[in-house]
Amino acid sequence: EAGVAQSPRYKIIEKRQSVAFWCNPISGHATLYWYQQILGQGPKLLIQFQNNGVVDDSQLPKDRFSAERLKGVDSTLKIQPAKLEDSAVYLCASSPVGGNTEAFFGQGTRLTVV
Amino acid sequence: QKEVEQNSGPLSVPEGAIASLNCTYSDRGSQSFFWYRQYSGKSPELIMSIYSNGDKEDGRFTAQLNKASQYVSLLIRDSQPSDSATYLCAVTVDRGSTLGRLYFGRGTQLTVWP
């Protein structure tokens, strides 16, 4: 079974530039999550999709972050404009359904904003 | 805000010893509990899940849950240098919009020395 795929693996941009990350969840997984993990901290949820609908985006800085999951499969996360404090690893995860099921993580995208 | 606290590290144990990792959570509505292992520069990998009070064993790993005390722990027996990683405690609270959302602790860094 293929895992969660993310790209790119690494990205370096200057502040105020824009960047986009892509995620392809495990086939058949209805729930998709984007997490932000700052160095030395645990992952923090940014947004959760159930199929192509947003379930929870309460922690998403909506003035600069946006995400979509067209057709309930792939998802993109965008930052525009980026700030220095956005430097982090962005993890995509998926699970078959919400609730008590396990979430499987992709390899992440390491973003450095300079 | 749902808090997940882990015992401060780093934790260092000799090879063959038992490593004990602890986690407390603040929301009594928490229903599912997970331990993820994260190697440096890698994504979190699920190693244990536990849903009811008591112990759950899987090979060298034992998860213990006490909902009354809001406490979950992970014991690693016969620790190996390959167990050296950061261990993340995560809980879910299945209530309305937070369905399936994982709340992570900051992680405990474990080093097993030969």
Side-chain angles (χ1 to χ4, degrees):
Chain A
E1 179 183 76
V4 177
Q6 289 188 248
S7 67
R9 288 295 311 278
Y10 306 93
K11 191 73 176 178
I12 301 174
I13 62 172
E14 295 182 351
K15 59 183 179 183
R16 292 187 289 275
Q17 285 188 324
S18 63
V19 64
F21 312 129
W22 173 82
C23 173
N24 186 5
I26 293 173
S27 178
H29 281 195
T31 305
L32 184 148
Y33 312 83
W34 282 102
Y35 285 86
Q36 179 193 58
Q37 187 173 24
I38 294 172
L39 186 65
Q41 298 182 19
K44 183 187 81 171
L45 181 73
L46 293 175
I47 189 167
Q48 177 183 344
F49 292 94
Q50 186 78 11
N51 297 307
N52 61 348
V54 175
V55 173
D56 184 356
D57 63 355
S58 58
Q59 299 296 304
L60 188 73
K62 298 180 184 65
D63 57 334
R64 298 184 301 106
F65 286 64
S66 65
E68 61 181 9
R69 189 183 185 196
L70 299 177
K71 301 180 181 178
V73 182
D74 294 6
S75 177
T76 56
L77 176 70
K78 298 179 182 178
I79 308 175
Q80 182 179 14
K83 294 185 175 181
L84 296 177
E85 58 262 35
D86 297 332
S87 295
V89 176
Y90 291 84
L91 295 163
C92 180
S94 70
S95 65
V97 293
N100 297 329
T101 55
E102 305 160 6
F104 298 87
F105 285 83
Q107 290 297 304
T109 296
R110 182 176 299 276
L111 173 67
T112 303
V113 183
V114 297
Chain B
Q1 180 67 31
K2 296 163 179 61
E3 299 288 338
V4 179
E5 300 287 340
Q6 295 187 239
N7 53 326
S8 58
L11 177 65
S12 182
V13 301
E15 183 174 358
I18 296 175
S20 177
L21 305 164
N22 304 315
C23 174
T24 59
Y25 56 94
S26 62
D27 192 323
R28 287 193 173 275
S30 301
Q31 296 182 333
S32 308
F33 306 86
F34 305 92
W35 284 99
Y36 283 82
R37 177 176 63 199
Q38 187 172 30
Y39 292 114
S40 180
K42 302 295 184 182
S43 61
E45 172 194 14
L46 181 70
I47 55 172
M48 289 289 284
S49 59
I50 187 166
Y51 305 103
S52 56
N53 282 327
D55 295 357
K56 178 181 178 182
E57 186 175 318
D58 184 0
R60 295 185 297 111
F61 299 95
T62 299
Q64 299 173 319
L65 174 62
N66 184 326
K67 290 188 176 181
S69 300
Q70 296 176 241
Y71 174 89
V72 59
S73 67
L74 179 70
L75 299 177
I76 306 175
R77 292 181 301 280
D78 188 23
S79 295
Q80 301 297 309
S82 59
D83 296 327
S84 297
T86 296
Y87 289 80
L88 297 164
C89 174
V91 305
T92 63
V93 178
D94 299 332
R95 184 182 306 127
S97 66
T98 64
L99 185 68
R101 174 179 175 175
L102 279 168
Y103 295 86
F104 283 89
R106 296 177 66 93
T108 300
Q109 185 177 341
L110 171 67
T111 300
V112 181
W113 45 276

